[in-house]
Amino acid sequence: MGAILEAMRERTVVGTNLLEIDEWTKEMMLGAGGESCYVNYAPSFGNGPFGHYICTAVNDAVLHGLPRDYALADGDLLTLDLALSLEGVVADAAISFVVGTNSPEKQRLIDATRDALAAGIAAVRPGGRVGDISAAIGAVLRGAGYRVNTEFGGHGVGSTMHQEPSIPNDGRAHHGPRLRVGQLIAIEPWVMVDTDELVFDPDGWTLRSATGCLTAHTEHTVAVTRDGAEIMTGAPAR
């Protein structure tokens, strides 16, 4: 999965269409023997089925970005979020990056989610609590000056794309369900520059910042091990 996301990052340039990225993802996923978790996904909060192979969120969009006929412009902040099943095991990951010309504001936003992800992963230990992960993520995001939305966050994976436990991006240490060896969890810090409120696009899927501000999102699936956590979706986000 990490290889697919990195390939999408490398192939994406100014002028790349979001539908091209979706098609590239389909080709790589099926070529690797994977199955999409998104194409037939139709949860209660979406206008399903989703019908695409990857989520593509641009600038003020942050979650569940429905691929559309849009050519990326210089300076667009793009998030790619991918979930797939390989040999019966489901994993979930996301990266954010700037297409073309970057800026300190955009990079700071992306770095905050990466730092929060690293802190969340470092808080994973067998017998620990979900709240330890949430508190670690929240401390980094709030410390960077951002508000934290807890409506959507990390979650269990493995047999399905979304399962227990829910892992909010802020919380209280030493609270919540205990973590066990062998458990697979997706940890996904995301943040918006000046708000913690979301609004739905008319497409019924894409979630955007309520103020139209920039957003970023980084995610890995990790396995709880006897020593802490093992990243299952590629190298640590950069």
Side-chain angles (χ1 to χ4, degrees):
M1 175 178 289
I4 293 176
L5 288 174
E6 284 302 318
M8 296 305 104
R9 183 206 300 265
E10 291 173 5
R11 294 180 71 172
T12 299
V13 297
V14 174
T16 297
N17 194 291
L18 298 182
L19 294 177
E20 288 183 275
I21 297 173
D22 189 54
E23 187 61 29
W24 296 339
T25 302
K26 175 184 177 181
E27 293 171 1
M28 289 195 69
M29 181 187 301
L30 298 183
E35 296 180 13
S36 172
C37 294
Y38 289 160
V39 170
N40 296 314
Y41 187 50
S44 59
F45 60 79
N47 183 22
F50 188 76
H52 293 272
Y53 289 81
I54 192 167
C55 295
T56 56
V58 182
N59 294 329
D60 63 324
V62 65
L63 298 173
H64 313 153
L66 192 71
R68 57 192 172 90
D69 184 12
Y70 173 76
L72 290 160
D74 185 48
D76 276 346
L77 199 167
L78 174 65
T79 294
L80 301 178
D81 188 355
L82 177 64
L84 61 83
S85 176
L86 185 63
E87 297 180 353
V89 178
V90 172
D92 196 356
I95 57 173
S96 286
F97 58 96
V98 176
V99 180
T101 307
N102 203 347
S103 72
E105 178 192 30
K106 294 170 186 174
Q107 192 59 49
R108 181 175 182 274
L109 188 68
I110 294 168
D111 288 345
T113 64
R114 294 175 180 170
D115 292 345
L117 177 61
I121 293 172
V124 174
R125 58 185 54 83
R129 303 276 192 175
V130 165
D132 300 338
I133 303 172
S134 298
I137 292 170
V140 171
L141 297 180
R142 286 185 283 102
Y146 301 116
R147 304 180 200 175
V148 182
N149 178 295
T150 56
E151 294 175 86
F152 295 90
H155 48 88
V157 288
S159 58
T160 63
M161 181 169 57
H162 289 119
Q163 58 193 69
E164 294 298 325
S166 174
I167 308 173
N169 285 327
D170 201 5
R172 297 173 62 193
H174 315 303
H175 286 72
R178 290 195 181 277
L179 303 172
R180 64 184 188 280
V181 172
Q183 186 174 13
L184 292 178
I185 54 175
I187 302 174
E188 53 176 313
W190 59 273
V191 75
M192 303 176 280
V193 168
D194 62 15
T195 185
D196 58 0
E197 297 184 11
L198 293 166
V199 293
F200 267 104
D201 249 16
D203 66 23
W205 277 103
T206 306
L207 284 164
R208 298 183 182 273
S209 61
T211 61
C213 68
L214 291 171
T215 70
H217 173 195
T218 307
E219 177 180 15
H220 269 311
T221 291
V222 305
V224 182
T225 70
R226 288 183 174 83
D227 299 320
E230 179 181 355
I231 297 172
M232 307 301 292
T233 45
R238 59 180 174 82

